[in-house]
Amino acid sequence: MRNIAIVFLVFLCQSLSAQKIVVKDGDSGTPLESVTIISTDSVASVVTNSRGEVDISLFRGSNLIEIRMMGYTTLWYSYKELVQLDFEVFIEPSVFSIDQVVVSASKWSQTAREVPLKISSVSKAQVAFHNPQTAADLLTITGDVFMQKSQQGGGSPMIRGFATNRLLIAVDGVRMNNAIFRSGNLQNVISLDPFAIEHAEVLFGPGSVIYGSDAIGGVMSFYTLSPKRSIDGKALVTGSSSLRYSTANSEKTGHIDINLGWEKWASLTSFSYTNFDDLRMGSQGPDEYLRSEYVVRKGNADVLVQNSNPLIQNPTGYSQANILQKIAFTPTGKWAFEYGLHYSATSNFHRYDRLVYYRDGLPRSAQWYYGPQVWMMNNLLISSRAQTAVYDQFNMQLAYQKFEESRHDRGFTKTSLRSRFEVVDAFTFNIDFKKLPNAKCKLLYGTEVIANYVNSTAKYRDITTGAETAAAARYPKAQWYSFALYVTYYQKLSDIVGLQAGGRYSHFLMDAKFDNAFYPFPFYEAKLSKGSITGSLGLTINPSDYWSINTILSTGFRAPNVDDIGKVFDSEPGSVVVPNPNLKAEYAYNAEVGITRKVGDFFEVDFLTYFTLLDNAMVRRNTTLNGQDSIMYDGQPSQVQSIQNAAFGKVWGVQADFELMCSGGFILSSRFNYQKGTEALDDGTISPLRHAAPWFGTTKLDYKVKRLRLSLFANYSGGVAFSQMAEGEIAKPYIYAVDDDGNPYSPAWHTINFRALFSVSDRLSFSADVENITDQRYRPYSSGLVAAGINFIAGVRVNF
């Protein structure tokens, strides 16, 4: 009897101890990290560590446990069924978007079937396979984002005819957009480290209900690596290291990340360093793109020298370092704290498109480069789970970001180097609540507070004597604030129909003080205090597991920021933009319909069409300053312009894709994007919209078996004839090819590429790529930089 009692007590203790589940890839049997496991009964979720393990003791007795990961088929089990499986689960890879889980639509995990918006996702496995050089390149993995580059240290996404400050970037739920995000091309996305990205999502169309100002064309959300705790009482030490080399720019990259986990504490450290040499363009394409000569300084003179290899874009090289440090503390199953420090810094990098601009047969600039682009973010996330009358879950975030950037330019044969320095201190506070009143509805609501402080200085320095004098700053000294409340409600109207409605009120304020020592502005300060209301109403219809239909009406807005109201700069040579303190917010009105059809477990096709109207658009227009239509700026007469609410724009288009699972491990897929946009000009005529890229897409044939994955794929884009070019692009003929009539145009292009990844074991893998196999010489639309020619890439990754 005593022995029976002992056995019973041992069994009882084991049943009450931590219960570990292991999740593995259904094809290779490899343990999967970052699988999310959710119990709808307890409103709790956990995530697997690098060994595919996680403690699910909280889910004992649960009737429905969801196991999901981006890029894999979602599974549902009861706790009893997991016991029968001996707590070992295999999930099958899936390329079908209808099965995906997304976060960016509401800041909370949702199945794609619940979301009336289109969202493209990039998983950690996809990042590892594609091995992108920068976060800008990472976005192109979706096949739905067109990337413009003015220099190698850059990448300005174009989405549905919108770009720059009409798109929003979020990192771990914190908006990166600040008060000096401009309408010209932006480079901020390269501050993110691709090696440190857990997954990324691109939300298409207005996202202002959740994200506020700037979310007009879309939202790019990046979610970085998170620390993993130990579940067996022993210290958990895991990590990875990577090396990569590319021939087109002699890229040399190294990365390491280390995770330390205990029962309640965990730490993750990530470091990456990349060095890029000058970029080589392809050998087959327009001669106008060749770099036949460049400027060097010899003694006290600027000298044009012949380029020994006109395919080398001199100067375009730069380097970058990224650091990520996170610390997590989970005192109980109901509370979690996570602190993250992000730091990124580049070297100087040259504005290549300005260096290839000639005036009167000579380069306009001898030097034009950006100083180090530095970004730092401190982010504290506090999460709680408790079934209260007000919420079931809430996340509170406090973040501080510091942005440092500078611009340096000097005219050819001139000795005066102009330097302009900008520093932005950005504070954000977010609190987001999730409440499930019953099984058929969700209530999501929250508040956001933003404060940006802008400091701008400038100087001239004589490069021969070293003498320095004051210069006009790019921006006034300014403060920009935003306060907002939002709510989103989801109701399952029936087994197949879901309704989502949301609204947001934002109030924004600005106070800017101008220095009139250099320009006789007829004002000394600009104050702004206005509000904006945005909303959305969407339907999701899921007649079966093989059909999904979504439609949405939504609005977005962009509040005037310091860059819009207070900047003095040259939009292009011969024009100068001066401040306008009378700006108002611009609004976007969007409608779209999407259909997804899945056939069995082997084929899926998506088709979506949309129309967006941009009203009260902030655009550059000619104006006067104290009655004069031109002033002297940077040594030449320049047309006076300002940002004005002077236009409306229209964008319409389609997005389509399909995935076909073939026999033998082959997958054929393709994505296609077509967008067309127009805007009204001063004289009432209609012009093509500058940021509406030509049609573009990608087609892939993938092969996967066991530990080997291969991909043969083509990327392609349509051209833009001179008659279809935007007015702003016609003004930059030096970055375009020349047609038979001597006019600038953007030729169509394509590349053929091959990629391979072989995992020797769970701990060691090798990758090899050949990009642009036919060595095409091409410039993506609106880009100043010519894309890379044939490029051989080799990489190795070690997990420990």
Side-chain angles (χ1 to χ4, degrees), residues 120-191:
S120 292
S121 303
V122 180
S123 67
K124 187 178 181 180
Q126 287 176 292
V127 174
F129 179 60
H130 289 266
N131 212 2
Q133 290 189 341
T134 68
D137 298 329
L138 183 152
L139 288 170
T140 64
I141 295 174
T142 64
D144 296 317
V145 177
F146 191 92
M147 194 60 60
Q148 182 277 351
K149 291 186 178 182
S150 297
Q151 62 278 326
Q152 192 171 194
S156 189
M158 295 183 182
I159 298 175
R160 289 190 178 182
F162 297 102
T164 61
N165 55 13
R166 288 174 180 153
L167 302 176
L168 188 128
I169 304 170
V171 183
D172 290 338
V174 179
R175 60 181 286 138
M176 179 184 265
N177 292 42
N178 62 50
I180 63 170
F181 264 43
R182 58 191 179 275
S183 59
N185 298 309
L186 291 167
Q187 288 76 241
N188 296 76
V189 73
I190 71 165
S191 292

Side-chain angles (χ1 to χ4, degrees), residues 23-314:
V23 185
K24 298 180 179 179
D25 183 290
D27 284 349
S28 64
T30 305
L32 293 174
E33 183 181 2
S34 301
V35 179
T36 301
I37 303 176
I38 298 174
S39 169
T40 56
D41 295 341
S42 60
V43 198
S45 68
V46 291
V47 179
T48 59
N49 60 25
S50 61
R51 299 170 184 169
E53 303 170 340
V54 71
D55 180 8
I56 60 168
S57 303
L58 289 172
F59 303 161
R60 278 196 177 92
S62 193
N63 294 316
L64 188 62
I65 298 173
E66 185 177 324
I67 301 174
R68 64 194 190 193
M69 182 181 183
M70 190 177 299
Y72 288 83
T73 301
T74 301
L75 298 177
W76 290 268
Y77 294 104
S78 68
Y79 191 84
K80 289 182 180 179
E81 289 171 329
L82 292 177
V83 172
Q84 295 171 358
L85 294 172
D86 199 23
F87 296 100
E88 186 178 39
V89 175
F90 294 84
I91 57 177
E92 299 296 328
S94 173
V95 296
F96 299 148
S97 61
I98 199 172
D99 298 323
Q100 300 292 337
V101 176
V102 295
V103 179
S104 58
S106 64
K107 294 189 178 180
W108 301 97
S109 293
Q110 296 176 272
T111 61
R113 291 178 178 274
E114 294 179 342
V115 179
L117 294 158
K118 177 178 174 60
I119 296 177
S120 292
S121 303
V122 180
S123 67
K124 187 178 181 180
Q126 287 176 292
V127 174
F129 179 60
H130 289 266
N131 212 2
Q133 290 189 341
T134 68
D137 298 329
L138 183 152
L139 288 170
T140 64
I141 295 174
T142 64
D144 296 317
V145 177
F146 191 92
M147 194 60 60
Q148 182 277 351
K149 291 186 178 182
S150 297
Q151 62 278 326
Q152 192 171 194
S156 189
M158 295 183 182
I159 298 175
R160 289 190 178 182
F162 297 102
T164 61
N165 55 13
R166 288 174 180 153
L167 302 176
L168 188 128
I169 304 170
V171 183
D172 290 338
V174 179
R175 60 181 286 138
M176 179 184 265
N177 292 42
N178 62 50
I180 63 170
F181 264 43
R182 58 191 179 275
S183 59
N185 298 309
L186 291 167
Q187 288 76 241
N188 296 76
V189 73
I190 71 165
S191 292
L192 300 171
D193 180 8
F195 286 102
I197 301 300
E198 189 78 56
H199 76 278
E201 296 177 7
V202 180
L203 180 153
F204 296 88
S208 289
V209 169
I210 300 297
Y211 294 96
S213 178
D214 303 359
I216 285 180
V219 177
M220 297 160 285
S221 293
F222 297 87
Y223 303 91
T224 60
L225 300 174
S226 290
K228 304 295 190 299
R229 295 181 294 122
S230 171
I231 63 171
D232 56 11
K234 301 177 183 179
L236 175 69
V237 181
T238 60
S240 70
S241 60
S242 301
L243 294 173
R244 184 178 62 220
Y245 179 78
S246 304
T247 61
N249 52 7
S250 297
E251 177 215 8
K252 296 169 281 292
T253 292
H255 166 80
I256 186 169
D257 61 78
I258 300 174
N259 185 95
L260 304 176
W262 296 271
E263 183 180 358
K264 295 184 177 181
W265 290 87
S267 168
L268 182 134
T269 305
S270 171
F271 174 76
S272 299
Y273 178 80
T274 298
N275 182 275
F276 300 105
D277 206 341
D278 294 335
L279 183 66
R280 176 194 176 275
M281 68 180 78
S283 60
Q284 308 296 319
D287 289 343
E288 293 91 344
Y289 297 167
L290 293 172
R291 181 68 159 154
S292 58
E293 59 187 8
Y294 57 90
V295 178
V296 297
R297 188 76 176 172
K298 291 187 177 180
N300 290 325
D302 290 328
V303 179
L304 270 174
V305 298
Q306 293 299 306
N307 192 352
S308 59
N309 185 352
L311 300 181
I312 302 298
Q313 298 175 82
N314 183 337

